[in-house]
Amino acid sequence: MIDPEDTAAPGPESAEYPSKLLITADSQEAATEREIALAARFEAGEQVPHLLNFGNPEDLRKLLTQRRVELLRSVKNDPPESIRKLADRLGRNPSDVTADVNLLADYGIVYFREEGRAKAPFVPYDEVTIEVDMLSGAGSRSSASA
């Protein structure tokens, strides 16, 4: 008889993630150019970041509110055993924290591991960098790390 634990797929915490998440707010054309360049570097054997692009800087700003960035830092620096424990740590309503964590998971910024019946969020990246062209394609870049 086969033990199901021997054939179970590895959990998300054992998956391989790039060390860096690069979040950008580029035009579709610029994002495509960046993706092609990253693909070429990947094929050459280089480490490349996971790329998340927003076509509009305003959409990026709406996603990465001050509260969500605080949540991300907390999850990264001290991964909680559950969303409820994260909410307690942050002094926030658990349903609001659940909504924020699930939204960040929808974008591939936060992932979950199963801790019994609880979902434990974690950020698999060592670095999260945000790059926004403040001059709408004029070539000047401003970047910040979260």
Side-chain angles (χ1 to χ4, degrees):
M1 179 175 207
I2 298 175
D3 182 353
E5 293 205 13
D6 290 342
T7 60
E13 65 277 2
S14 60
E16 290 194 30
Y17 299 94
S19 64
K20 181 177 180 178
L21 171 62
L22 176 59
I23 302 173
T24 61
D26 287 331
S27 68
Q28 187 60 46
E29 181 180 297
T32 299
E33 288 177 17
R34 187 189 297 257
E35 288 170 0
I36 291 169
L38 289 174
R41 288 177 43 207
F42 179 79
E43 288 180 6
E46 290 183 47
Q47 288 270 345
V48 297
H50 176 93
L51 180 64
L52 174 59
N53 184 64
F54 292 82
N56 180 341
E58 182 64 18
D59 294 336
L60 172 58
R61 188 191 69 73
K62 287 178 185 176
L63 176 67
L64 294 179
T65 64
Q66 183 175 352
R67 293 193 119 189
R68 289 185 188 130
V69 170
E70 175 188 28
L71 181 151
L72 278 171
R73 286 182 175 137
S74 183
V75 169
K76 177 61 183 167
N77 293 331
D78 186 15
E81 295 174 17
S82 68
I83 294 174
R84 178 168 290 284
K85 288 190 179 192
L86 176 62
D88 290 344
R89 179 191 311 164
L90 296 172
R92 293 183 53 200
N93 180 310
S95 63
D96 292 341
V97 171
T98 298
D100 282 348
V101 169
N102 286 329
L103 181 63
L104 292 167
D106 288 345
Y107 282 93
I109 300 171
V110 171
Y111 294 84
F112 298 103
R113 62 174 66 89
E114 298 298 320
E115 295 285 339
R117 292 180 16 179
K119 288 181 8 180
F122 71 98
V123 176
Y125 309 104
D126 296 328
E127 180 182 351
V128 176
T129 300
I130 301 167
E131 290 186 4
V132 179
D133 184 345
M134 300 302 292
L135 300 178
S136 301
S140 177
R141 289 202 112 44
S142 171
S143 69
S145 292

